[in-house]
Structure formats: C-alpha cells, structure tokens
Amino acid sequence: MTDLEEMQKELDKIKLQEEQLFEEMKHFVNQRSYVDAKIKVLSKVLPTLKSLKVETQDLVNTIHNIAESAEGISNKVRTLDCARNRVDECQQRVADLIDVGLCSEGVQTAILNEDYEKGAGHVHRFLSMDQSLLKQSATDIENVSSVLKAVGTLQDAAGQLRTIVQHKFDEAVRLEDLASVERFFKIFPLLDMHDEGIRKFCNYLCDKLRDTADKNLQTALNAPVTDKRHHVKFADTLTLLFEGLARIVDIHQPLVETYYGPGRLMSVVSFLQKECDTQVKLIIMEFQKHRQLQKKINQISEVAKMSSSSSFSKLDKLDPKELDILIQEITIMHFRMELYIKFIRRKVLADIEISVLISEERNNQILQLDKLINASDLSRRKHDLLSLYLQLEQYFMEESVSKAVGIDSTETAQQTSSMVDDTFFIIRKCIRRAISSGSLDGICAVINIACAVLENDFCGILRGRLKQGYPSGYLDLTQAYNVLQTSIQHGRLQPSDTEQIRTAFLIALNNADASTEYVETLCDSALGDVKKAIPNMNTNEHGKLESCLSGLSSVIINLKDVMEYGMQQLRVSVIKPRISPWVDSFLNINHQLNDDELSEYEAGESFVQTLIMNLDSLLSSFKDSLTSANYDGLIKILIGEVTARFEKVIFKSAFNRLGGLVLDKEVRSLSGYLTSATTWSVRDKFTRLSQIATILNLEKVTEITDYWGNHDGALTWRLTPTEVRTIMGLRIDFKQEDIQRLKL
Amino acid sequence: MEDFKFLFKVVLVGNAGVGKTCLVRRFTQGLFPPGQGATIGVDFMIKTVEVDNEKVKLQIWDTAGQERFRSITQSYYRSAHALILVYDISCQPTFDCLPDWLREIEEYASSKVLRILVGNKIDREDREIPTFVGEDFAARHNMYFLETSAKEAENVEKLFMKIAEDLMQQARNKDLSRYECSTTNITARTSSVNDSSCCSKLT
Ligand SMILES: Nc1nc2c(ncn2[C@@H]2O[C@H](COP(=O)(O)OP(=O)(O)OP(=O)(O)O)[C@@H](O)[C@H]2O)c(=O)[nH]1
Ligand SMILES: [Mg+2]
C-alpha cells in the first residue's frame, strides 16, 4: 500500500462498508420496537397457558373414565343380549311345547272332520319345530310323558295324513275332480312331501296332456284330404301339443311357486318333458308314415347316385314341386320345437334366478337345465327333423334350378333370360324358408348349399353357353360357313341358328352380369331377415352367419370370371378381326402432307372419321343387347384393341410436321368419341397413344424438353426413352443425330 | 400385394367323442375344457397366427361327429381349405370309420383340399391303434399325419401352424400363377373361397 491511489481506493471501500453497516444497524433498531411489542403480548398469554394445561389434563381424565364405563356398559349389554336370546329360545321352546300339545289335540279332530288343511297345518307346525330340541325340552321338564305322548300323536297323525292325502289325491284324479286335485296338491308341501306332490301332480297333468294329444292326433289323422289345413296338419298337431304344454306351465307355475316355493320348476319341467317326448314321437311317426318320408328320401338318394355315376336315365324322379308343401310343414314343425325349447329354457331360468342366490350353484343348475334339454328326445328329434329338412331342401333347390334352366326362355327385347329371375327366386325362397325354421345351423347350411348350386350348376351352365362362342358373321365367313355346313348336314343347325347362337351368347353374358346384382341383394336381404328372425345372436353366431354369407357373395367372383371369359370370346371372334383392317387402312394414307394436301385431306372423309363410323356401327349393334356393365366391358376391350393396333400401324408409318399434326387431331377425336361412348373414364387407356401423337406433333426435336423432365409442364410418361427416340425417328424431318443428342 | 392377410377355412371332422372340440379349444383358448358336451351342428372359432411375418386368419369349423348332424356339417366341406380328420388312438371303431369319412370328403370337398389325419388322446394309457398303423393309413391316402393330445397340449399348436404354413405356401404359388396369366384383377366385395381360388385375400 505504497501507492496513494491504492490507499484512496481502500478508503473508499471502507467507507462503503461503513455505510452498509450503518444501514443494517438502523434496520435492527427499527425491528426492536416490533419485537418488544411481541414480547409484551406473549407475557400476557403465559398465565392462561398454565391454566389450560391443567384443564386439559382434567379433560383427559374425564374421557378415560367415560371410556371405562362405556366398556362396562357394553359388557352388560352383551350379557343382556345373550340372556334375551336365551329367553327367546326358551319362549320358543315353551311355545313349541304348548303348540305340540295344541296340535296333537287339534290334529285328530281335524282328521276326523276331514279338515285336512287344518290337520296338515298342525303337522306342518310340528314339523317346523327343531325335532331334536323338542326331545331335549321334553326331558327337561317334569311332565315328560305328556309331551312325548303329544309328539307321538303328531308323528302318527303325520303318517296318517300322508297316506290319506295321497289316497285322496289319487281318488280325485280318478274322479277327475279338478278342485280336489288342486286341494290335495296344496297339502303335500305341508306334510314335507314336496317331491311326492310334484311327481303326482305332474303325472296327473301328463295324463291330461296325453288324452288331449291323443284326441288331437286322431282328429288330424281323420282329417279329409279336402281339409284346407291337410297339408300342414302334423305341424298343427305338434303346435297344439306345445301350446298345451306351455299353457300347463304358465298356469301351474304360480301355483307351484306359492305352495312349494320357488326353484321347483326344473323338476316339473323334467316330468312334463317325458310326456312331451312321448307325444312328439307319436306325432312324428305318423307324420313320417303319412307323408311317405322314407320313400321320398330313398328316391332322392337314388337320384344323387344316378347323377354321380352320370348315367342319365329318367327314372321315377321326384318333382320338386311335390316337396314344396312338405318342406314347409317340416320347417313349421322345427320352428315350433325350437320355440317350445326356448320357452321352457326361459321359464326355468327365471325360476333359477329367483331361487338360487349363489352364482356357482346357479351355473350348476343352468348346466343341468341345458343337459336336460339337450338330452331330451325332443331335441334329438328336432335335430333329425332339421337334417331331413336339409336333405329335402337341397334336392328341391338343385332340381328346381335345373328345371328353371331347362325351361329357360327369353322375351323379345329382354337382355336377360328367365333362368336368372327363376333361379334367384328359388334360392331366395329356400333361404327364407330356412330362416323360418328358426335354426341358425339350418340357415347357414342352406346358404352353403345355395352357394354350391350357384357356383357349380348355375355358373357352369352360363360358362357352357359362352363356350359355344359368338359366331362372327362377316369376317370369318368361310370358317363360319364351314361350321354351319357341317352342322346343317348333321341336322343340328338351321341357317338362322347363327343369329340364335349369338343371342344366346349375349344373353348368357348378360345373365352373369344380372346375377352379380342378384347375389348382392340376396346376401343383404338374408342378413337382414336373419337378424329379424333371430334377434339375440351372440358374436359367435354372427360370425358364423357372416362367414357363410361371405361365401355366398364370393359367387360374384365366379360370375365375373364367367363374364371375363365371355368378353375374351368376343374380343377374339368379333372385335379383333374387324378392328384390324379398319385401323390398318392407316397404312394406305399419306402422312407427309403439304398445305394443299392437308386441306384436301381435311375436306374429304378422314381416316378417323371412317374409323369412328365403323366403330359406332359395331358398338351400336351391341348397345341394346348388352347390359350396361357388359357394354362397358366391351368398350374397354375395344379400346384396348384399337389403341394397340393403332400404335402398331403408327410405328410402321413415317410422318412430316403436318402428318404429325393431323395424327394428333385424329387421336384426340378418337379418344373423344370413345369417352362419350361410355360412362367410365377411358382417358387412361389413351395415354400412350396421346403421348405418341404429342411427340409426332412436335415443331422441332428439342421441343420434347417442354414435356420431358422434372418441371411443371412435364408429362407422366408411359413411354420409355427408347420408345420416345424411335417415335421421333418416324418424323422424316427430324435429324437422327439431333434425336441421339437428346438427354432423356 | 405385399401386406395382404390370408384367410383360411379349416374344418375338423371325425367320429363323435374323438376330441375335435377339445383340440380346437386347446388351440384357440389354450385350455382343456372339463366336461365338454357333444357339439351340436357346427361351432365356429377364429384365431390369427403369424407365418413369415404375415398375419394369417384361421377360421376353424368344429363339426359335430354325430350322424344326425351330417347334413349340416357336409355343407361346410366344399369351401374348406384344410380338412382335419380326427380319430381316437384308444378307440378302434373311430379308426375303422376313417374310410367312410374319406368317402364323404371325396364326395363333398374340393379335390385340392389339404387333408390331415390326426390320432388324438396320446396321453391315454390304453392305446389301441399303434402309431405306425395311423401313419400307414395316412400315407396310403395322401394325407399328413400327426398324433396329438388335446389334454396335454401335445402337437396341437404344431398341427395348426403346419396347416397355416402349408396353405400359405399353396396360396403364394397359386397367386403367382394367377397374376401371371390373367389380365384383370377382380376384387370381391367380401372375400371367400371357391374351387378355383384356393385362398382369399383381405386387402
Ligand atoms: N385323455 C384325453 N381325453 C380327451 C382328449 N381330447 C378329448 N378328450 C375327451 O374326449 C371327450 C370328447 O371330447 P370332445 O372334444 O367333446 O369330442 P368331439 O370330437 O368334439 O365330439 P363331438 O362334438 O360329439 O363330435 C371329452 O370327454 C374329452 O375330455 C385328449 O387329448 N386326451
Ligand atoms: Mg365337439
């Protein structure tokens, strides 16, 4: 610190520190008054705190005391409770003992007076007592013998009453005294005879059921053929049976529930089911006999054997029409069975729901219910009936479709023939009938069968007709003539038949197209109908149905294949042979024009005008006889052929600037014409041709860069660089070295 | 064409009680159901597996073996890509019925259907059909052969995976040839199967 300046600096620093210290001190002084005030307040509070502490201690003590006495009280209450329970029990036992006395006195009188309800009431009271406890109480008191005697009396009376009630019930049944039957039915549970009561009562109900069912079946068997329900009389009889059963369940279920308690329906139903099975068996046996089912099934399998060994003799073939009504009756029967089973299941489930509270036990009972239903003869017969239905329905569908094909005919000016409408009418009918059976498995199977009939038989027929080909008339004249000649010689063909074969070909093609729409509608409507008929399908059932329906809708793929096959026939026999000479005439035209020649060419009928005219007349000969989809298909093929051929002849020609100009115009008008001829866009098909014309219409070689490359004006080329160079080479005024120099 | 899904229909047939339902449940749900009741009609289950990083959907149709359901079950043969014919190695009659089943298959199924013979219940001690007998039968009828146990989960996964792989292979070959020869590519509204196309694509 030799330097003055440094000393000065140090001084400044110290001064600054001094100032800071001063500030801090001032702050402390200010705080002091605040702290003083606080201390004053606190010192005032201090004595209060002391007394608070004492009081709190008091409070704690008090609470402690209260807790102790509460504990004491609750102990006492517990003892009291216990005592009261004992008193209650004691009272109960006393009451029981008194009742035992009263009941034993009353029961005999009641029996003597034939007041069985009262007697059974006494016994019920007696039975509701804890028997072991009763004996114990009896030994506890002095008057042992009197109590034991009363118990003995009651036990005797119970036995007596049981015998009497059974006997009386049987007698009532014999006398058909419905009131007494119900009277004694209600007494059984009072005597702890629930199972016996249910069994006897169900036997009674079954007897009644059997009588009615017998009568109904006899009436049906005796019904004259003229009866207007003769054709469904077995279905009617079955319906009556199920309605009777359902009524029994509906009427007696509340009775059983009231007097026997809930949870008894399963055993009621299992008794009834036995009788139901017996009656169903009788009805079905008569049905099979009277409708000659075995014979029909035999005939059907005969036919199946015949056709598979492909020897087509006309044996006694069953007319599908004859089966129509029978199949309908079977579906009604099946539906009724299904309905009844569902009814029973719903009823018993509801009963289980209210009577069984533990879910495990409930599931157990539901399992038992399903077992009962599945193992019943009714279920087995239902399955057999469905199997029968499917055999008949399959035969019906196959034969009806083959008949529809056999009588196929076309109204004039119709694009399709009757076999399409007829076939899909039949198939829709069969599917609807399957739906009316109420069985999803049945529905799915019929959809599968329909799918097979359409893919194998129906598409096969259409394909077969297309295989005959489309006789092309003018161009293959010699060839067609030869075919005709040989055919006429063999007596197979009349000259006018060419026209007929053509019509048949186009109609087959249209039939395939119309069928695709039919299939689509069929799938949609079937899905809707099934959803309506079976509203609560689970996801699995839904998946099953949809999978089968998607199989049906895949028939469309087959139909499209058939259409494609026909289109290729047309391409080979009609389009290609005619288009070629028309387009080839391009080769006879001068494409190296001067101005005069240009105006002369444009004044006359140009190449493209003639071509369009020819195409137009060709197309118009098909326009009315093809469906719009087929017509579009035809145009697609035509465009393919025209553009391909056109390309070929262009590559064989040489152009100058004006020749290129004319070509560009002509390609434009051709594309314009064909665009207007159809509903869908054909521009795409013309892209290559248009690009060729564009190249040939260039002013000079380098102009190609306006269209080629990576800029806004560039085209998406369908031509390879090599092709572009080749096309440019067709211009006689383009120098080969200029073309080679291009960077493409 | 790269990322399409395949859908194959696999149908199980064979006598009642040979364990078709148990095989399907073992494969689709990984369990052996106690007290499995007889199948009524047909049951339907779906499981998606992966083959070569491709999702393959197996639609499995479990048919009832009881005679009375034959008209229902027969209607499913035609569209099947694979048919699994099952017998019970501890029950001679189920093996003796195999020729009958083959006759049914000949009559109703597509000729190109993949056929697999399965001897089930190999966990049982009371075997009646030695392995070589089953093997021999399968070889004579041009079928794959596998012995399984639905109970012990033996070969069940392998069975279905083998089917998925084979069908996939078939479909790929088919697809190649189909795309080579045909000019038009028809896409169906809903995918499914028929005789001429062995697989269906869900794009
Ligand atoms: N030990 C053993 N038992 C099996 C096996 N697979 C099935 N079972 C038993 O065989 C019985 C029948 O099995 P299901 O799967 O119902 O037979 P299914 O072929 O589906 O019978 P249907 O539906 O009537 O055609 C059941 O009791 C099964 O427990 C197995 O691998 N080993
Ligand atoms: Mg099963």
Side-chain angles (χ1 to χ4, degrees), chain A residues 89 96 113 123 132 151 244 257 315 326-327 379 396 427 445 508 539 623:
Chain A
E89 261 170 44
D96 280 358
N113 293 340
V123 172
S132 62
V151 169
E257 199 177 309
L315 86 161
L326 175 62
I327 296 176
S379 291
F396 177 85
I427 288 178
T539 49
K623 190 167 172 94

Side-chain angles (χ1 to χ4, degrees), chain A residues 258-293:
Chain A
T258 312
Y259 294 95
Y260 286 67
R264 302 268 169 191
L265 200 55
M266 177 115 74
S267 68
V268 171
V269 162
S270 64
F271 281 117
L272 292 178
Q273 191 55 47
K274 284 202 194 88
E275 190 56 34
C276 169
D277 286 348
T278 314
Q279 293 308 322
V280 168
K281 181 179 167 194
L282 288 174
I283 295 172
I284 297 232
M285 264 164 46
E286 291 297 339
F287 163 74
Q288 284 180 329
K289 195 166 86 195
H290 286 258
R291 303 292 194 219
Q292 297 185 309
L293 276 171

Side-chain angles (χ1 to χ4, degrees), chain B residues 17-22 32 36 39 65 120-121 123-124 150-151:
Chain B
V18 295
K20 299 180 291 295
T21 304
C22 289
F32 183 71
Q36 178 59 47
T39 305
N120 189 37
K121 308 198 189 179
D123 57 282
R124 289 183 64 132
K151 192 175 177 190

